[in-house]
Amino acid sequence: MTIGEKVKIKRVKAGSEKVREMNGNRSSDPLHGITLEMILTRLVEYYGWERMGRLVNIRCFNHDPSIKSSLQFLRRTPWARKKVEQLYLNI
């Protein structure tokens, strides 16, 4: 590796740090930093299990609902998780 190549690599690294600083390391994802458990807990407080079961018709909300069973199902079922996350964003 030549000296010129080393300088070029350093400039690229410094440039990428500047881009990160300009963006402020902010994510465009509105759910960034919010866990699924936090989402579910907030929705249960806001709607209650019965209404959530009507809004998102999944068994874990309608039959013997619990945070634990709902988390297990939502973590394995992307379409249901997407609906729950969208419901949270609409509060």
Side-chain angles (χ1 to χ4, degrees):
M1 182 179 283
T2 66
I3 294 176
E5 290 173 336
K6 288 180 182 178
V7 170
K8 192 173 188 178
I9 289 171
K10 286 182 182 179
R11 285 185 186 154
V12 170
K13 287 182 181 177
S16 62
E17 289 172 5
K18 287 179 184 176
V19 170
R20 259 186 263 135
E21 287 174 8
M22 287 172 43
N23 290 338
N25 290 334
R26 291 186 210 138
S27 173
S28 62
D29 181 9
L31 297 174
H32 180 76
I34 302 173
T35 65
L36 185 57
E37 185 173 6
M38 291 165 63
I39 291 170
L40 198 54
T41 302
R42 178 70 177 112
L43 287 172
V44 171
E45 290 171 357
Y46 190 81
Y47 291 115
W49 287 111
E50 188 176 328
R51 185 155 182 226
M52 279 178 54
R54 287 193 309 264
L55 294 170
V56 182
N57 190 16
I58 52 178
R59 184 174 174 81
C60 63
F61 289 173
N62 292 315
H63 299 282
D64 195 24
S66 72
I67 296 287
K68 184 178 178 180
S69 67
S70 298
L71 285 172
Q72 288 175 341
F73 177 77
L74 293 171
R75 286 180 179 138
R76 287 188 245 142
T77 317
W79 64 265
R81 181 178 183 144
K82 200 164 202 68
K83 284 186 175 190
V84 169
E85 288 173 345
Q86 191 59 48
L87 186 62
Y88 177 80
L89 291 172
N90 291 331
I91 292 181

